[in-house]
């Protein structure tokens, strides 16, 4: 995971918005971000006045979700689908886009609940992301259920590597 703070994320989106009139100066990630921003005109006021919103905390009680979190979830879903990680997410994304008449925004809005719930659980319980629960949530959106074979979660792979190396006394330096 990247070590990015809230201000960095907010400034990233604001910077992309400011550069929108010079699209050739944007890299691939920034172009994706710009497409997301353009489909959410309700967020433009935050981007136009970013300094006033760097420390703003959005709460459910206010009736408005955090626009920067929302745009970041879009970006995360697009990146996951682009590299098909976790495997199968690209097919879910394509199918939801197809069902919504190629409207990727609506498709991703459906997928966001699964991602947000998975992130919330990881934070709440102080553990890594549960890719099996995440993919099951996504697969249900397209009429599929849980996969037949469970995947190893990234944090479980790390635990597995540590336990294998501790058995051999190699401390992560490979086998003889």
């Amino acid at each position: 995971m990247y070590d990015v703070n809230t201000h960095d994320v907010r400034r990233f989106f604001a910077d992309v918005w400011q550069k929108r009139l010079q699209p050739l100066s944007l890299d691939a990630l920034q172009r994706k971000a710009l497409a997301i921003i353009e489909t959410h005109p309700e967020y433009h006021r935050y981007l136009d006045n970013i300094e006033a919103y760097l420390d703003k905390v959005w709460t459910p009680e206010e009736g408005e979700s955090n626009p920067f979190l929302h745009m970041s979830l879009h970006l995360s879903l697009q990146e996951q689908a682009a590299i098909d990680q976790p495997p199968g997410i690209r097919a879910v994304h394509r199918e939801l886009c197809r069902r919504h008449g190629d409207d990727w925004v609506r498709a991703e809005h459906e997928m966001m609940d699964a991602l947000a719930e998975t992130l919330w659980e990881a934070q709440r319980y102080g553990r890594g992301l549960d890719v099996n629960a995440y993919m099951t949530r996504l697969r249900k959106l397209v009429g599929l259920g849980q996969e037949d074979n469970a995947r190893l979660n990234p944090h479980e792979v790390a635990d597995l590597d540590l336990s294998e190396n501790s058995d051999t006394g190699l401390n992560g330096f490979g086998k003889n």
Side-chain angles (χ1 to χ4, degrees), residues 6 14 22 55 69 82 105 130 136 144 147 151 154 174-175:
T6 302
Q22 306 154 351
D55 294 313
L69 174 60
V105 177
D130 185 341
T136 297
L144 301 172
E147 296 174 298
R151 307 162 189 248
K175 296 183 179 179

Side-chain angles (χ1 to χ4, degrees), residues 152 155-176:
L152 279 176
H155 61 280
E156 293 169 331
V157 171
D159 292 343
L160 196 68
D161 288 344
L162 291 174
S163 67
E164 285 178 3
N165 290 334
S166 66
D167 290 342
T168 60
L170 298 175
N171 298 325
F173 292 105
K175 296 183 179 179
N176 294 333

